[in-house]
Amino acid sequence: MERVNDGGPTLPTPSGTGGLSGALADALAPVAAGSAADFSVAVLEPGSGASGSYGDGSYATASVIKVGILAALLLGAQDEGRRLTAQERAYAGVMIERSDNDAATALWGPIGGSSGLEAALGRLGLTDTHADDRGRWGLTHTTASDQLALLRAVFLDGSPLSARSQAYLRTLMGRVTAGQTWGISAAADGTGPGARLKNGWMPRDATGLWVVNSVGEVTANGRRYLIAVLTEGNADREGGVALVEQVARAAVATTAAYASG
């Protein structure tokens, strides 16, 4: 992800005092106490409907916004009654699979830039995601709960995205290059298909600290989980990856226990 001049983070606070959110707060309190970075997570187990979150802060997306960019492009094509062009598909493939920044920039105009992105994401149920007013797509700000709403639109029935569009997005997220398969995949246990995800990472010019994010679907104990982990204030990329993976494992384990009663 390219470097950009920006401000500091909006810090998260624990979300919810009961239900799964309460269980997540209990499980993640030691992680928060042991980390100088800030994080937020939202998770859903579709089989039981169990859903909860920890932290309600707003975070820079870095490259996880590329899922939203492609969703916006697909919605626009649906509206026009057409499929993606060969060039659009080429950009989309490298944007998701290899996190190519030039491809994301090339698609930014066709989706209508900041206003087009926000309009499309609003149709998909996101209510607290705001594009950078200077068009720097990696500085779109979002919440873990909004990213979970986007994952619902990509992975679950009843989405404004067509079944074809959903399948295309899911396929690309399952083909992420080997060097970028870290993150929420740490919560998978090999009982199902591989993780389908998109990660994002970038240093903040204002602080030198790192944003490291991971969103997507994993399978554990034969159950699917949609999960979004956002972090800010990591000393380096490696530490951010470790934090994301620790949070993902704890969140999925907590959700599994909760869903099982």
Side-chain angles (χ1 to χ4, degrees), residues 19-236:
L20 179 55
S21 292
L24 289 170
D26 291 340
L28 292 169
V31 180
S35 175
D38 302 294
F39 64 87
S40 182
V41 59
V43 61
L44 165 69
E45 195 276 288
S48 66
S51 179
S53 64
Y54 173 90
D56 58 3
S58 180
Y59 292 74
T61 58
S63 286
V64 298
I65 195 57
K66 291 168 181 172
V67 176
I69 291 173
L70 181 49
L73 183 70
L74 290 165
L75 275 178
Q78 288 177 202
D79 291 344
E80 296 167 7
R82 66 173 182 86
R83 297 187 181 183
L84 298 188
T85 66
Q87 183 63 78
E88 288 170 337
R89 291 178 68 87
Y91 283 139
V94 296
M95 179 177 70
I96 301 298
E97 295 176 15
R98 288 187 268 166
S99 203
D100 186 271
N101 290 335
D102 291 339
T105 299
L107 293 176
W108 188 246
I111 68 168
S114 299
S115 60
L117 177 73
E118 289 192 10
L121 295 183
R123 291 170 61 185
L124 298 177
L126 284 70
T127 60
D128 198 19
T129 295
H130 305 289
D132 175 64
D133 58 9
R134 292 171 58 187
R136 298 169 295 180
W137 47 260
L139 290 181
T140 301
H141 274 71
T142 192
T143 63
S145 293
D146 256 20
Q147 288 303 295
L148 184 61
L150 179 56
L151 294 173
R152 287 176 181 266
V154 172
F155 286 94
L156 302 185
D157 294 339
S159 171
L161 291 168
S162 68
R164 181 187 296 274
S165 293
Q166 287 180 306
Y168 180 58
L169 248 169
R170 293 194 297 259
T171 296
L172 294 184
M173 292 173 73
R175 293 178 179 170
V176 168
T177 189
Q180 297 178 23
T181 57
W182 47 265
I184 61 162
S185 56
D189 64 4
T191 59
R196 296 183 283 194
L197 53 74
K198 182 71 193 79
N199 296 329
W201 60 98
M202 69 178 185
R204 302 291 293 255
D205 283 350
T207 63
L209 301 176
W210 283 73
V211 169
V212 181
N213 302 326
S214 185
V215 304
E217 179 198 58
V218 299
T219 304
N221 298 314
R223 293 182 172 183
R224 298 164 57 214
Y225 297 86
L226 303 182
I227 181 170
V229 182
L230 308 178
T231 77
E232 179 105 35
N234 299 283
D236 50 37

